[in-house]
Every structure is written in C-alpha cells, then in structure tokens.
C-alpha cells in the first residue's frame, strides 16, 4: 500500500503518486497505475521564483497615527519587512489595486454632530466576481474584511480620436472601509484618486527580491494585461499588451512607469518589449507596452 509509481514525462517532469492517484489525461482523470507509455498527461510547467531572504524594513511606523499603528501592529503588519509572511499577499494586492482599484477620502455626516467623519475607502473592481472573491480572501488573510460584491450596469460615453462611443458594461466591485489598510497602502506608495495623472513603481517593489516582484506583476497584470487570445487564424497567439491612460502633460511619467515594468520583466528573461503611444481622449493619451 505504501508503493509509489513514478512517471517521467517527455518534457522531463517527474510525477510520483500512489497507485490510485488520479492524473488528468485527454480521456479524463485516470488512476496513475492505468497510465501507459506513450499516453498524454497534463502537467503544470510553472515552477515559481526561487525564494530569497531579505530583512530590510519596507514601512516604518513614522508618520502613522497611533490608532492606525495599533491596528497594523495587532495584525503583524508593522513594522513591515520583506521577511513578513504576508508580504507576498501585500505585493499582489498592491499590484491589482494599482491597476483596477482606487483609494478615496470619504466625508460622512454624523447624526447629532456638526463635524464630518473622514475616512479612506479602498475600492476594487473587476469583470469577474470570482476574482473579487479571491481578492477578498487575500484581504481576509491580512486581517481585514471586504464588503460583499456589488454589481451594476454601467453606460459610459467615450470620446476619443477614433470617434464617440456609447459603451455598456457590467461592473463588479468590493470596498474596504478601513483606515488601517488604506494607510498601509498609502505608506507603500499607492496614489489617491485618479491615477491618470500620477502612477509609478514604488522603490520597495524595485528593491524587492524577485519572488515579491512576481507577486506584484501577477496582481497588476491580472488587472491590466490583455487576456490570452489568438489571431483570426485561431492558431497564432497575439502578444500580451499592457495599456495605461495618462494625462497628456504627464506623458513622461507614464513612459517611466512602463520602462520600470519592462526592466522588471527583463529580470525574468523577457527581453523583447516595445513601448509606444496610441490615441486617447481629449485630455489623455494611451501608452502601450507590447510583450
């Protein structure tokens, strides 16, 4: 009963499993003992990035209010170092919010009080409810709670150099009403409000080990990179593209941001990356990185 069966695939992958372990084949799941030489089996080729130890401090406690500091310390998020067990989640979440999220300052009236309550709100949107549920799980692992998934039909009139278009879409989003999480993201370099005028790669990401950069890119590309698709012939895959919109007067900021992404990709052996400008709106231009 303790016997293992070992399969070596043509690609060099080794699969070791007990006799009744199911393996995915073109004919569905088969127990490994029923696999024969020459059969096709599915394997996952992604190996991840080698772990690298680094203990530098990413966020210090300086400049953070006392109530927020206590909340972050309680969740073991301060002081935040590269060796923190949650730093991968934070990098991935930061990347996604930089793409399809925002932070804004909410001012709310309070009953029987003249003053308004001010607090930062994190909003995260996606076409996929499943993506938002996975993001909510990441937020829960950090010690915070996201709202339920809200859904609405959205109709927007877009006017650009190509003409005027009425675009209808379905939008899903969640929000997190936590000053502690917002303060942490702001301390990490997340811009407030509209990102078309100010977007950059924070120094802590630039100086991070590759495995943390990979998490950042996974989050950001999950929000902004084009989905894998084929050309009209149905065979050739189109190149992945990353497009950002930025104010025309901030063009150089956008170019530097994409150069930073390109430099990061080169660390992973991806060296053919083209940056060029595309048409935008009256106030903005599009900048595109083709991988």
């Amino acid at each position: 009963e303790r016997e293992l069966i070992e399969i070596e695939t043509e690609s060099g992958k080794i699969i070791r499993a007990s006799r009744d372990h199911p393996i995915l084949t073109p004919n569905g799941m088969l127990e490994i003992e029923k696999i024969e030489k020459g059969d096709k089996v599915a394997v996952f080729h992604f190996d991840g990035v080698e772990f690298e130890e680094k203990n530098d401090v990413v966020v210090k406690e300086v400049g953070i209010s006392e109530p927020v500091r206590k909340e972050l310390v309680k969740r073991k998020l301060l002081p935040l170092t590269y060796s923190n067990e949650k730093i991968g989640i934070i990098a991935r979440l930061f990347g996604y919010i930089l793409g399809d999220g925002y932070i804004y300052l909410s001012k709310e009236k309070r009953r029987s009080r003249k003053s308004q309550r001010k607090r930062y709100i994190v909003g995260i949107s996606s076409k996929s409810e499943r993506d938002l549920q996975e993001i909510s799980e990441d937020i829960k692992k950090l010690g915070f709670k996201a709202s339920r998934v809200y859904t609405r039909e959205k109709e927007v009139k877009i006017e650009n150099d190509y003409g005027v278009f009425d675009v209808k879409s379905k939008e899903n989003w969640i929000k997190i009403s936590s000053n502690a999480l917002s303060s942490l993201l702001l301390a990490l370099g997340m811009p407030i409000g509209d990102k078309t005028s100010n977007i950059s790669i924070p120094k802590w990401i630039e100086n991070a080990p590759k495995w943390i950069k990979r998490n950042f890119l996974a989050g950001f590309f999950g929000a902004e990179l084009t989905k894998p698709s084929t050309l009209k012939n149905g065979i050739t895959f189109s190149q992945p593209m990353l497009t950002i919109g930025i104010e025309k007067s901030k063009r150089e900021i956008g170019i530097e941001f994409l150069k930073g992404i390109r430099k990061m990709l080169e660390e992973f052996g991806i060296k053919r990356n083209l940056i060029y400008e595309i048409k935008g709106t009256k106030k903005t231009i599009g900048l595109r990185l083709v991988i």
Side-chain angles (χ1 to χ4, degrees):
E1 290 181 1
R2 295 175 180 271
E3 197 172 49
L4 288 179
I5 293 179
E6 179 178 285
I7 290 177
E8 182 176 355
T9 69
E10 201 172 63
S11 62
K13 292 282 182 183
I14 303 293
I15 304 171
R16 295 185 186 91
S18 56
R19 286 183 173 276
D20 60 350
H21 192 90
I23 301 291
L24 181 59
T25 75
N27 298 317
M29 304 298 284
L30 288 180
E31 293 176 356
I32 194 170
E33 67 176 352
K34 295 178 182 178
I35 304 293
E36 298 179 356
K37 186 175 181 180
D39 286 352
K40 291 184 176 180
V41 297
V43 294
F44 191 46
H45 285 283
F46 178 71
D47 288 327
V49 179
E50 188 175 345
F51 177 78
E52 178 188 341
E53 187 75 42
K54 190 173 184 178
N55 295 312
D56 297 26
V57 175
V58 178
V59 175
K60 298 178 182 178
E61 300 182 22
V62 178
I64 295 177
S65 68
E66 185 58 22
V68 166
R69 189 193 70 80
K70 286 182 178 179
E71 288 294 317
L72 294 175
V73 169
K74 184 173 74 173
R75 292 168 174 80
K76 298 180 180 178
L77 297 174
L78 265 189
L80 184 63
T81 66
Y82 286 120
S83 60
N84 189 296
E85 63 179 12
K86 298 176 181 177
I87 193 68
I89 295 174
I90 291 169
R92 189 165 63 247
L93 185 64
F94 187 96
Y96 195 94
I97 294 173
L98 192 64
D100 265 349
Y102 51 86
I103 297 178
Y104 67 94
L105 183 61
S106 172
K107 297 178 181 179
E108 303 167 350
K109 290 184 178 179
R110 297 189 287 184
R111 288 182 180 179
S112 69
R113 295 191 185 184
K114 293 182 180 180
S115 62
Q116 293 180 322
R117 181 171 69 170
K118 298 179 181 179
R119 61 175 174 171
Y120 287 107
I121 306 290
V122 178
I124 305 172
S125 61
S126 174
K127 290 182 180 179
S128 166
E129 286 190 48
R130 182 179 174 181
D131 283 355
L132 291 177
Q133 288 165 358
E134 289 183 7
I135 291 167
S136 294
E137 284 300 311
D138 269 353
I139 290 167
K140 187 177 179 180
K141 289 172 186 174
L142 296 180
F144 302 100
K145 185 178 180 181
S147 68
R148 65 176 178 85
V149 177
Y150 297 94
T151 303
R152 69 179 175 187
E153 299 290 333
K154 195 167 73 169
E155 187 172 345
V156 182
K157 180 173 283 188
I158 297 176
E159 184 176 350
N160 57 30
D161 292 341
Y162 296 99
V164 180
F165 306 91
D166 289 319
V167 180
K168 293 182 179 179
S169 64
K170 182 180 177 182
E171 183 184 41
N172 303 300
W173 81 97
I174 56 175
K175 61 182 181 179
I176 307 97
S177 304
S178 166
N179 274 328
L181 179 61
S182 299
S183 297
L184 179 63
L185 291 170
L186 292 173
L188 288 168
M190 186 68 67
I192 298 177
D194 188 6
K195 295 188 287 285
T196 60
S197 61
N198 183 27
I199 188 168
S200 63
I201 300 172
K203 289 293 181 186
W204 71 274
I205 292 290
E206 290 182 350
N207 298 329
K210 278 174 65 175
W211 71 271
I212 294 177
K213 289 178 179 177
R214 191 201 76 79
N215 273 282
F216 167 77
L217 289 173
F220 187 66
F221 285 172
E224 294 296 319
L225 198 69
T226 52
K227 290 182 179 179
S229 62
T230 56
L231 304 179
K232 288 183 179 179
N233 61 20
I235 299 170
T236 307
F237 275 92
S238 57
Q239 296 170 99
M241 291 183 285
L242 172 66
T243 305
I244 63 169
I246 197 157
E247 289 179 11
K248 291 179 178 179
S249 62
K250 308 287 186 179
R251 180 181 180 276
E252 291 307 312
I253 292 175
I255 292 287
E256 285 304 309
F257 175 78
L258 291 183
K259 282 183 177 179
I261 297 291
R262 179 167 67 184
K263 183 179 177 183
M264 221 180 295
L265 287 172
E266 287 174 353
E267 294 183 45
F268 293 88
I270 303 167
K271 296 178 181 178
R272 298 287 181 265
N273 304 289
L274 173 68
I275 296 173
Y276 63 92
E277 185 177 321
I278 61 173
K279 293 178 180 179
T281 66
K282 287 182 178 180
K283 295 181 180 180
T284 66
I285 56 168
L287 296 172
R288 179 167 289 170
L289 171 67
V290 181
I291 304 170

